[in-house]
Amino acid sequence: GGNRAALILINEPEQKDWSGLRKALQQAFGLTPAEARTAALVGSGLAPQDVADQLGITVGTIRCELKNIFEKLDISRQSELATVTARLALLHPDNKDA
């Protein structure tokens, strides 16, 4: 019993430019450019440590940004962030500028 759901994200690892999705996150939720960048990367399935390594910043900075992101989106889990970013990308398919 109980309700169960699954979210499958298909990610294009070679895709480097997430500027459209970042802009949509900023406009929809009032995220800063740094928060939107982090939200897009973590929302695509990367771990906070991987995002920190990729961006050349500390994982503490990523965690601080995630705290702010979660507050602004009224969520509490990375899986919820993945759902939000996936839905936003579906609503605005032109946000995936390659």
Side-chain angles (χ1 to χ4, degrees):
N3 294 332
R4 295 177 191 231
L7 172 67
I8 299 172
L9 295 174
I10 299 175
N11 177 343
E12 297 177 43
E14 66 277 358
Q15 183 177 342
K16 302 283 188 216
D17 185 3
W18 292 84
S19 61
L21 180 57
R22 290 192 311 258
K23 185 182 289 187
L25 286 163
Q26 287 178 261
Q27 292 173 346
F29 302 106
L31 300 183
T32 67
E35 290 167 349
R37 179 186 61 190
T38 295
L41 292 170
V42 173
S44 74
L46 292 177
Q49 183 64 59
D50 295 332
V51 174
D53 292 344
Q54 181 176 328
L55 299 176
I57 58 179
T58 69
V59 72
T61 299
I62 296 299
R63 287 187 178 127
C64 182
E65 289 175 356
L66 283 172
K67 180 182 174 201
N68 293 334
I69 292 163
F70 288 178
E71 185 176 307
K72 289 178 181 181
L73 274 66
D74 194 28
I75 59 174
S76 59
R77 298 174 185 242
Q78 289 179 31
S79 60
E80 293 172 303
L81 180 58
T83 300
V84 168
T85 56
R87 286 180 179 166
L88 191 57
L90 287 174
L91 291 172
H92 303 280
D94 58 322
N95 284 334
K96 288 193 172 182
D97 302 328

